[in-house]
Amino acid sequence: MHPIIQKAFDPERYRREGHELVDMIADYLQDVVNAEQWPALSWRPPEQGFEYLNGMWRQNDGDLQRLFRETLSRSIHLHHPRYMGHQINPTAPASFLAGMLTDALNNGMGVYEMGMAGTAMERVIIKTTAQAMGLSDYADGFLTSGGTLANLTALLAARSAKAPEAVWEEGAGSRLALLVSEESHYCIDRAARIMGWGDAGVVKVPVDDQYAMRTDLLDDYYRQAREAGLTVIAVVGSACATSTGSFDNLTAIGDFCRRHDLWFHVDAAHGGALAYSGKYGHLLRGIAGADSVVMDFHKMLLAPAIATALIFGDGRRGFHTFHQRAQYLWADAEQQEWHNLAKRTFECTKQMMSLKIFAIMYAHGLELWDAYVTQMCDLGKTMAELIEQRPDFELAVAPQCNIVCFRYVPAGVEPESLNALNQTIRQQIIEKGDFYIVQTLLRGKAYLRVTLVNPFTSDRDLAALLDEVENLGMNLLKEY
Ligand SMILES: *Cc1c(COP(=O)(O)O)cnc(C)c1O
């Protein structure tokens, strides 16, 4: 064997470097919760980051610890209490320890023997989650690579079940379409276009003043779509809408779907986690009637990205996604093997994501998810109260979960200037790096947006953010 290969696989080197890395991460976890000591991110322009790492590569000294330290300091810190940006959670140590083992094992998961333990755990996770959502014992599904891919997979299953022709074999005949709220995640629109449905294939139902789907308009929009020659096969409920965290009325959507024999899909990529919260689970009322549900474990259940469940109300339907109609008729129990995952997943080789989730459940029980999800949604309410106490701020909508949209609206500023003002404040916040927040546009108005995902975020951090927004805003107004 070439000595370089021997060196690459040296167990003693791994042991030494592994211990050093574990120590480095433990120190990091201890320090990063001190908001004043660490920035949430050290913003650098893209070119500068590239130059630096390219330079490091060129003067490569092979020192892994240096590489890891540089990576740490040049990354955004999700474990930082003032990280309040995109919808992705800080990871629980049990899950990233599990990640070290899954990466070492590298089980490919597509067929049973390529991931025996992982496949079994996956089923436990799916069954446990289905039960938490109130789905029946027939519910089943699998883990897949992200909410985006899971939604596409669910809609392919919907097409297989509800399209008038066998699209898988013969291609599309009818002009297919789905109904979804105008506030849905962009990946639903993208999925429909990937399936060749075009502009007309995504019928956007308006939202109410809480940014939830106007289910009272479903009949109208359905009728109009049919009159325009479309074959509507599904309605997608958002639980919740990405921008505002608003939950659609899933009971009303489910009833509508049953009346018209449509597939009822719930995009619960973010909010599905609330099924594990005793206090907030009621926001998912009606999800038990879904034909398919998508839920991320990396947004509010403390797992590393990406790890997403796709659950079918009737588990057998997951086997029809990538199959032609005729096969469905011949299908018997023998062919619908739950343990050969690639029959149902987009992926061939798939990450062994299950251990990272299972390790959290196993080490801490479902109580951890209950406590965490509940605390994060409570924090959303606290944030709203703090905003309402300040006359120069306004909420987009009373938050239902851990997503809060607000804007700085000082007296005497022209309404047309408020978008630019809030957008500039947001850019300055990123470049400063004390906080990380994002922005969104609602009905033409720019809002600052936070997703509260860090259990170490305190009321004090929230107040400090509002102070920072106000200070930056006042300075900008002086310059105007
Ligand atoms: C985040 C999100 C998605 C996308 O999921 P990824 O895991 O990021 O691909 C889809 N739908 C909703 C409602 C989301 O919140």
Side-chain angles (χ1 to χ4, degrees):
M1 188 192 292
H2 196 291
I4 198 164
I5 299 175
Q6 197 123 32
K7 192 174 152 201
F9 282 87
D10 177 8
E12 286 311 316
R13 183 176 176 178
Y14 166 72
R15 190 190 309 281
R16 193 179 62 250
E17 292 187 328
H19 281 290
E20 283 177 34
L21 177 60
V22 168
D23 284 341
M24 188 188 94
I25 297 176
D27 290 343
Y28 169 71
L29 289 177
Q30 211 153 48
D31 294 344
V32 78
V33 294
N34 294 318
E36 270 99 31
Q37 277 181 27
W38 273 72
L41 79 161
S42 307
W43 200 86
R44 293 177 177 89
E47 286 304 323
Q48 193 186 320
F50 171 74
E51 289 300 327
Y52 186 85
L53 283 157
N54 194 38
M56 225 178 119
W57 161 241
R58 290 185 184 286
Q59 300 146 22
N60 186 0
D61 60 3
D63 180 354
L64 267 186
Q65 298 307 316
R66 176 168 164 243
L67 174 62
F68 293 155
R69 272 195 310 277
E70 287 289 348
T71 305
L72 212 156
S73 75
R74 288 169 176 272
S75 298
I76 190 162
H77 304 299
L78 275 66
H79 293 81
H80 191 286
R82 294 183 178 181
Y83 172 92
M84 310 174 185
H86 287 291
Q87 298 155 269
I88 177 162
N89 53 233
T91 43
S95 71
F96 56 77
L97 276 177
M100 194 185 301
L101 179 58
T102 60
D103 285 356
L105 289 171
N106 212 22
N107 280 201
M109 301 298 293
V111 296
Y112 176 61
E113 65 275 16
M114 284 303 294
M116 292 181 291
T119 302
M121 286 180 215
E122 200 163 310
R123 196 168 206 219
V124 177
I125 293 163
I126 294 293
K127 290 284 184 188
T128 305
T129 302
Q131 196 176 22
M133 290 177 173
L135 292 158
S136 80
D137 290 346
Y138 296 109
D140 206 351
F142 47 81
L143 297 175
T144 189
S145 304
T148 299
L149 191 69
N151 277 312
L152 173 59
T153 311
L155 293 170
L156 285 168
R159 187 181 69 175
S160 166
K162 300 290 186 191
E165 54 279 308
V167 182
W168 193 258
E169 302 160 281
E170 296 158 14
S174 320
R175 291 171 58 214
L176 303 177
L178 57 80
L179 300 177
V180 67
S181 106
E182 59 180 338
E183 283 296 325
S184 64
H185 192 271
Y186 72 85
C187 72
I188 301 295
D189 186 274
R190 191 178 276 187
R193 289 169 194 276
I194 289 169
M195 292 189 288
W197 300 2
D199 278 333
V202 183
V203 179
K204 297 257 168 86
V205 182
V207 292
D208 60 21
D209 56 2
Q210 305 297 305
Y211 296 92
M213 182 197 276
R214 293 251 331 250
T215 51
D216 59 310
L217 296 179
L218 275 172
D219 272 311
D220 275 356
Y221 277 74
Y222 180 61
R223 191 170 32 77
Q224 282 167 27
R226 286 168 58 105
E227 282 167 11
L230 295 166
T231 304
V232 176
I233 63 162
V235 185
V236 178
S238 302
C240 46
T242 303
S243 292
T244 55
S246 309
F247 286 75
D248 284 349
N249 181 339
L250 301 179
T251 307
I253 297 173
D255 289 347
F256 180 82
C257 286
R258 268 184 297 280
R259 251 194 339 273
H260 297 282
D261 189 29
L262 304 175
W263 184 278
F264 172 27
H265 175 61
V266 182
D267 178 5
H270 182 86
L274 272 64
Y276 284 110
S277 164
K279 183 168 172 188
Y280 291 95
H282 66 89
L283 289 169
L284 294 171
R285 193 168 295 137
I287 202 169
D291 292 303
S292 52
V293 178
V294 161
M295 183 185 102
D296 281 340
F297 284 89
H298 55 263
K299 284 186 175 158
M300 250 210 283
L301 293 171
L302 303 170
I306 46 183
T308 302
L310 168 51
I311 307 177
F312 294 94
D314 175 347
R316 289 171 300 183
R317 294 174 114 169
F319 290 92
H320 308 160
T321 315
F322 302 109
H323 282 246
Q324 48 205 47
R325 277 284 160 98
Q327 267 182 332
Y328 165 36
L329 297 175
W330 311 323
D332 57 25
E334 199 46 39
Q335 284 178 310
Q336 297 195 352
E337 306 145 320
W338 64 269
H339 52 270
N340 281 323
L341 288 166
K343 286 191 169 183
R344 289 178 288 160
T345 64
F346 233 105
E347 299 100 325
C348 175
T349 305
K350 186 181 84 173
Q351 262 201 45
M352 184 180 163
M353 35 190 106
S354 55
L355 180 64
K356 301 176 200 175
I357 301 166
F358 198 76
I360 300 173
M361 295 163 57
Y362 191 76
H364 307 290
L366 301 180
E367 294 79 10
L368 175 68
W369 284 338
D370 185 359
Y372 167 73
V373 172
T374 301
Q375 185 179 321
M376 291 304 100
C377 295
D378 283 346
L379 203 59
K381 303 253 183 287
T382 305
M383 179 75 176
E385 283 162 20
L386 293 176
I387 290 164
E388 286 186 315
Q389 286 162 13
R390 297 184 183 224
D392 288 350
F393 283 79
E394 87 186 7
L395 278 172
V397 60
Q400 289 184 287
C401 61
N402 61 336
I403 297 173
V404 188
C405 298
F406 63 100
R407 62 199 319 235
Y408 179 55
V409 287
V413 177
E414 301 292 314
E416 355 11 303
S417 309
L418 286 172
N419 278 7
L421 177 63
N422 280 277
Q423 283 160 343
T424 310
I425 291 173
R426 194 264 168 169
Q427 187 58 32
Q428 291 188 346
I429 286 178
I430 299 192
E431 293 181 16
K432 252 183 110 196
D434 301 338
F435 294 86
Y436 182 66
I437 65 169
V438 295
Q439 63 186 5
T440 191
L441 209 57
L442 298 168
R443 296 187 168 139
K445 289 185 182 178
Y447 284 88
L448 304 171
R449 176 172 171 277
V450 295
T451 307
L452 302 167
V453 283
N454 192 309
F456 293 92
T457 303
S458 66
D459 300 11
R460 215 167 51 84
D461 295 313
L462 301 180
L465 170 64
L466 298 177
D467 288 343
E468 170 125 325
V469 170
E470 193 161 356
N471 288 334
L472 291 171
M474 287 190 318
N475 283 335
L476 283 166
L477 289 174
K478 272 184 226 149
E479 288 168 21
Y480 278 164

